[in-house]
Amino acid sequence: MGQRVSDSFTIPLCYPHHHQLHMTGERKFWQTLGINPVFYADLLFGVYNQNKTENDQYLWENMYKKVTPQIKANIDFLNQLK
């Protein structure tokens, strides 16, 4: 049985994309999207630890604004759910 990874390395995904990540391979999934998962996991964990979870402007500027164009550019890949 595997051990659970620390929350500091966690990025929330919906079930279909979590499954796609495992079917594609974790490294290839994030490389295809052009997203550095460690950077965003650190950012989310920092937001949580600094009690900034209600600060939508902070999350928009530091995360969503950067990730959204990459997701839009790779929407075909994300729609290839198996």
Side-chain angles (χ1 to χ4, degrees), residues 13-56:
L13 296 173
C14 63
Y15 174 78
H17 289 111
H18 179 92
H19 179 72
Q20 184 182 23
L21 175 140
H22 287 289
M23 297 306 294
T24 304
E26 204 165 335
R27 181 170 285 148
K28 184 177 178 185
F29 179 84
W30 294 116
Q31 284 176 343
T32 300
L33 294 177
I35 293 173
N36 177 347
V38 175
F39 172 81
Y40 291 104
D42 285 344
L43 180 94
L44 286 171
F45 196 65
V47 165
Y48 173 76
N49 280 335
Q50 296 170 21
N51 291 323
K52 291 184 179 180
T53 54
E54 301 300 319
N55 190 337
D56 292 337

Side-chain angles (χ1 to χ4, degrees), residues 35 40 60 63-74:
I35 293 173
Y40 291 104
W60 172 253
M63 189 167 141
Y64 304 131
K65 192 175 180 179
K66 297 174 184 176
V67 172
T68 302
Q70 292 166 290
I71 291 172
K72 286 181 180 178
N74 293 287

